[in-house]
Amino acid sequence: MNDFTRESLSYFGLYWKMFRAKKTVVPEHVQFGQHKDQYFLYYRPDPAASGIAAKDKTVLWVHGGGWNAGSPSFFDFVGQCIAGAGYPFVSLGYRLSPKNKYPAQIEDVCAGYKAALDFMHKKENHSPRIVVSGSSAGAHLSSILCYSKKTQACYGLDVSDVIGYVGIGGPYCFTECQGWVLQTLMGQLFEKGWDRTQGEPLTLMENTGIPMLLIQSRHDGLIDYSSAAKMAEKASSLGISCELYPVAGRKDTHSWYTAGMFLEKREDNEDLGKFLGWIESL
C-alpha cells in the first residue's frame, strides 16, 4: 500500500480520536481583525487538573489544513495537549484560500503574532519566552514568520522573544517534486502568475538566531521528505542551529503525525516526546 493511500485511509481513525478528545482547559477567544478567521485562542495551563506545574515557555501555534481549511477551534485538541503538558498555548487563525490569496495568510499570522504578544504582556505582566510552531500549512507560514527578515520588516515584527521554532510536516521548498494534492492546494493559494518564491520559506530564510527543529516523515504521503531536508541543509549553511527529526513508528503518514500525535500521550508517542523534549531543552 503506497503512502498516499495510507494517508487517505487514516482520516476515519483520526477524526474518531479527535471528537473523543478530552477538554480540560477553556481557552480565551481574542479577535485581532474583523474577519471571522482573524482570531487566536489562548490556553492557560491548569496545574490542579493536569498535576503538572506551569512552564516558563509559551507555545505559539499556527494550524494546518492545506491553507483552505481548519481553525484554532477545530484544532482545540492541540491546545488541550500542550496546555496539559504545562505550557501556555496560543493558537493563531488566518484567512483561508481560495477566496483569500497569499499573502493574506502571512499578513494574518504576523498580525496575530503581534496581537498575541501584546495580549500576553498585559495578561501575564511579563515578556514570554516563545516557541513558535506549526504543522503542514501552518509550518509553512510559521517558518516565514521566524526566518524571513523581509517579512518581519514589512509587518514590523520583533521576534526577539522567540527562543525556538518547531515545524511539523511543512512544505518549505516548492521546487521539489510534490504530489498532485499539494500542487492543487498551492494553485488555490497563489494567484496565477504570482512569484511563488516570495512565499517559499527556503528562498526567504535568513539567520535570525532562532534554533530550529523540523519533524518530517519519510512516508508522509503528501509532502516529500526532501522539502524538510533542503530546509535543514540551508539552515545549517546559514549557521542556524537545526535538527531534522525523521518521524518514528507506524503512524507516519501526514495527518497522523502533524495532528494525530497531539491526540496521544507523551509516553505512547515518540514524536510527541521529541516535540516536548526539544522545547524543554531550550
Side-chain angles (χ1 to χ4, degrees):
M1 187 184 298
N2 67 38
D3 294 329
F4 175 75
T5 302
R6 291 177 60 231
E7 162 68 7
S8 301
L9 293 175
S10 73
Y11 300 145
F12 176 79
L14 183 60
Y15 283 121
W16 183 81
K17 293 194 75 170
M18 282 174 55
F19 293 116
R20 290 170 56 89
K22 293 182 179 180
K23 301 187 180 199
T24 57
V25 178
V26 178
E28 189 169 348
H29 182 288
V30 180
Q31 200 77 27
F32 62 83
Q34 295 184 346
H35 192 278
K36 64 180 180 62
D37 293 328
Q38 294 172 317
Y39 74 95
F40 64 81
L41 296 179
Y42 176 68
Y43 296 73
R44 174 179 276 181
D46 182 357
S50 66
I52 298 174
K55 305 293 175 48
D56 65 346
K57 305 177 184 86
T58 296
V59 177
L60 186 143
W61 172 268
V62 184
H63 70 80
W67 301 285
N68 68 2
S71 67
S73 298
F74 181 81
F75 287 97
D76 173 74
F77 62 91
V78 181
Q80 299 294 337
C81 174
I82 304 304
Y87 294 97
F89 183 81
V90 174
S91 184
L92 286 183
Y94 50 90
R95 287 169 290 169
L96 303 174
S97 70
K99 185 175 181 180
N100 302 283
K101 299 296 186 182
Y102 193 89
Q105 293 73 26
I106 194 63
E107 289 173 358
D108 289 353
V109 167
C110 291
Y113 170 85
K114 292 169 70 175
L117 255 64
D118 184 62
F119 171 84
M120 288 185 286
H121 286 156
K122 294 175 180 177
K123 186 87 173 178
E124 308 298 342
N125 199 31
H126 66 84
S127 295
R129 302 171 67 215
I130 297 172
V131 177
V132 173
S133 185
S135 65
S136 195
H140 162 258
L141 296 168
S142 56
S143 64
I144 294 174
L145 169 73
C146 287
Y147 298 104
S148 171
K149 292 183 180 179
K150 179 179 178 180
T151 301
Q152 293 163 8
C154 180
Y155 298 110
L157 294 186
D158 177 3
V159 295
S160 59
D161 289 329
V162 179
I163 62 170
Y165 170 74
V166 185
I168 308 172
Y172 309 107
C173 174
F174 297 163
T175 57
E176 291 301 303
C177 180
Q178 306 289 0
W180 67 270
V181 173
L182 184 57
Q183 291 295 333
T184 300
L185 292 172
M186 289 197 297
Q188 295 176 350
L189 178 65
F190 297 111
E191 290 281 7
K192 186 176 182 180
W194 199 79
D195 181 4
R196 294 185 180 183
T197 62
Q198 297 307 302
E200 182 187 51
L202 188 70
T203 298
L204 297 171
M205 181 169 50
E206 295 183 73
N207 191 342
T208 56
I210 300 170
M212 174 190 301
L213 169 66
L214 300 178
I215 299 175
Q216 204 89 7
S217 174
R218 297 184 185 275
H219 300 282
D220 183 290
L222 295 181
I223 298 173
D224 198 271
Y225 184 81
S226 62
S227 181
K230 284 194 171 292
M231 187 73 165
E233 182 181 0
K234 182 171 181 181
S236 297
S237 74
L238 293 173
I240 300 170
S241 174
C242 177
E243 179 181 355
L244 176 55
Y245 170 82
V247 169
R250 292 186 298 174
K251 293 180 178 178
D252 56 1
T253 53
H254 187 78
S255 296
W256 264 120
Y257 78 93
T258 61
M261 72 174 179
F262 298 103
L263 291 163
E264 300 194 342
K265 295 180 180 179
R266 177 176 185 170
E267 56 268 27
D268 298 328
N269 189 291
E270 292 180 54
D271 308 321
L272 179 60
K274 180 64 180 181
F275 178 90
L276 294 173
W278 191 84
I279 293 173
E280 289 165 359
S281 74
L282 295 172

